[in-house]
């Protein structure tokens, strides 16, 4: 059985590659950049979701696919192209990384794009598993510089609780299904084991680093304006605004048993994540 791993250089895909290699599974990575493929140290093909011939070549002899990419306005077109090419190539099962709250009818752009792509996969006739993770622990690494230099980090999440998930657990969920004799179909919401406020995250960082770290909550419009100044596309700003507002109201707080259901193991805690990444925040 041969697996194609797309998004193989990303935060989830790179861990999928490591985990498949550790299991001695038969797989190839799909990468845009040859040098990134070489650094993975596994079989790879160079291609792009927007280059149909490269998809055709990459999917030759493939039975299962991990479908994962960057959320942007071309996501639906790109993922539909992979789904169509997979069907054409005789692929049996696709595991797709989506997002919690995905729905073709939501106003929230990330969720809207993912919902449309999920619908396309579900109606494709292929075997399918959709993973809908919540907010990644790895996102906290974006605050590392601010924490290192000033002992503070900023956001507009208020006191909303978030079921932070380690992207390694998303990878474990995907690998468990990609390698299982009978992969579980359906939609699986994935969260970590605890729903924490950002103040509680700051307290955990303080304890881990042995010095005070504070979460500073700012008005949503101020945080959005900072993102605008950093050059984020206007279409995405609305999506981030929606995320801050819904998270502050607790939309990401409910925990799921998805990781345990798919892998048989409990999801990793934020303490374990911070222990692994303490040097980034020091
Ligand atoms: N961050 C969160 O908190 C969060 C929460 C829920 C869901 N999600 C979802 O999780 C997914 C992100 O997963 P991730 O962290 O693994 O993403 P990531 O680290 O941004 O990786 C994206 C991968 O997609 C590849 N890619 C991008 N455009 C491509 C194209 N045109 N053709 C082929 N490959 C392409 C990238 O390759 P290159 O190396 O060439 O760029 C990279 O390997 C997204 O769909 C996001 O919406 C994220």
């Amino acid at each position: 059985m041969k697996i194609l791993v797309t998004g193989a250089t990303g935060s989830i895909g790179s861990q999928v590659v490591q985990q498949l290699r550790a299991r001695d599974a038969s797989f190839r990575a799909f990468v845009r950049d040859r040098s990134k493929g070489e650094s993975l140290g596994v079989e790879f093909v160079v291609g792009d979701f927007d280059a149909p011939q490269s998809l055709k070549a990459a999917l030759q002899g493939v039975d299962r696919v991990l479908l994962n990419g960057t959320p942007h306005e071309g996501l639906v077109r790109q993922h539909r192209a992979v789904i169509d090419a997979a069907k054409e190539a005789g692929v049996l099962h696709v595991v797709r990384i989506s997002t919690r709250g995905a729905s073709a009818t939501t106003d929230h752009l990330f969720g809207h794009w993912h919902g449309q792509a999920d619908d396309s996969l579900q109606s494709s006739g292929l075997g399918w598993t959709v993973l809908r993770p919540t907010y990644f622990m790895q996102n906290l690494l974006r605050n590392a510089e601010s924490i290192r230099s000033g002992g503070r980090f900023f956001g507009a999440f208020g006191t909303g609780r978030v079921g932070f998930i380690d992207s390694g657990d998303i990878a474990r969920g995907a690998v468990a299904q990609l390698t299982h004799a009978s992969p579980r179909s359906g939609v699986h919401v994935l969260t970590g084991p605890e729903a924490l406020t950002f103040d509680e995250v700051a307290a955990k960082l303080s304890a881990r680093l042995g010095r005070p770290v504070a979460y500073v909550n700012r008005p949503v419009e101020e945080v959005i304006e900072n993102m605008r100044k950093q050059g984020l596309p206007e279409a995405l700003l609305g999506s981030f605004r929606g995320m801050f507002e819904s998270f502050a109201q607790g939309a990401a707080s409910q925990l799921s048993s998805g990781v345990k259901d798919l892998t048989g193991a409990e999801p990793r805690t934020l303490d374990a994540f911070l222990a692994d990444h303490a040097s980034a925040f020091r």
Side-chain angles (χ1 to χ4, degrees):
M1 190 187 58
K2 187 87 171 183
I3 300 163
L4 182 72
V5 179
T6 69
T9 55
S11 68
I12 298 170
S14 58
Q15 297 184 80
V16 168
V17 165
Q18 287 171 22
Q19 293 173 26
L20 287 175
R21 182 161 48 184
R23 287 178 180 228
D24 216 11
S26 174
F27 71 101
R28 71 173 69 109
F30 186 71
V31 297
R32 287 194 287 185
D33 179 334
R34 176 167 296 280
S35 64
K36 286 192 187 177
E38 282 163 357
S39 65
L40 289 176
V42 298
E43 180 187 337
F44 69 94
V45 282
V46 178
D48 193 297
F49 293 149
D50 283 321
Q53 284 307 320
S54 73
L55 282 175
K56 196 173 173 183
L59 285 161
Q60 265 193 3
V62 165
D63 306 291
R64 294 184 181 175
V65 173
L66 174 71
L67 178 50
N68 181 34
T70 312
H72 67 119
E73 63 286 349
L75 177 142
V76 182
R77 178 192 70 244
Q78 292 181 340
H79 286 215
R80 283 181 178 157
V82 178
I83 292 163
D84 290 346
K87 225 178 146 178
E88 185 79 24
V91 166
L92 300 173
H93 198 94
V94 174
V95 176
R96 178 170 191 282
I97 308 296
S98 176
T99 190
R100 183 176 197 164
S103 160
T105 58
T106 178
D107 292 339
H108 186 312
L109 264 189
F110 292 142
H112 181 59
W113 295 330
H114 276 298
Q116 291 176 81
D118 287 348
D119 287 352
S120 295
L121 177 58
Q122 290 168 27
S123 60
S124 67
L126 293 160
W128 60 273
T129 306
V130 167
L131 305 185
R132 291 190 177 160
T134 191
Y135 195 80
F136 299 180
M137 293 178 188
Q138 277 73 7
N139 296 341
L140 295 169
L141 294 168
R142 295 187 197 139
N143 301 304
E145 162 58 24
S146 169
I147 291 167
R148 276 198 307 271
S149 59
R152 298 188 302 171
F153 64 108
F154 302 84
F157 298 98
T159 54
R161 292 189 176 277
V162 177
F164 293 90
I165 184 166
D166 189 322
S167 63
D169 281 327
I170 306 167
R172 272 180 277 283
V175 166
Q177 300 318 303
L178 288 166
T179 56
H180 200 282
S182 319
R184 289 174 78 132
S185 299
V187 172
H188 302 269
V189 173
L190 304 184
T191 73
E194 341 165 69
L196 300 166
T197 66
F198 278 76
D199 287 321
E200 288 168 345
V201 172
K204 285 183 179 293
L205 274 160
S206 305
R208 173 62 52 188
L209 301 177
R211 62 180 170 79
V213 174
Y215 167 67
V216 183
N217 198 60
R218 306 301 306 164
V220 174
E221 285 315 319
E222 184 184 311
V223 175
I224 294 293
E225 190 49 37
N226 281 338
M227 292 174 133
R228 183 177 283 121
K229 283 183 190 150
Q230 286 162 21
L232 253 86
E234 204 59 34
L236 285 189
L237 294 178
S239 201
F240 277 109
R241 185 182 288 109
M243 182 189 77
F244 288 130
E245 287 168 354
S246 65
F247 275 35
Q249 287 160 14
S253 63
Q254 204 181 340
L255 300 178
S256 80
S257 61
V259 171
K260 178 98 188 275
D261 296 343
L262 295 181
T263 67
E266 295 293 344
R268 278 163 55 84
T269 62
L270 186 70
D271 286 320
F273 171 82
L274 294 179
D276 284 354
H277 295 277
S279 61
F281 298 107
R282 271 206 175 95

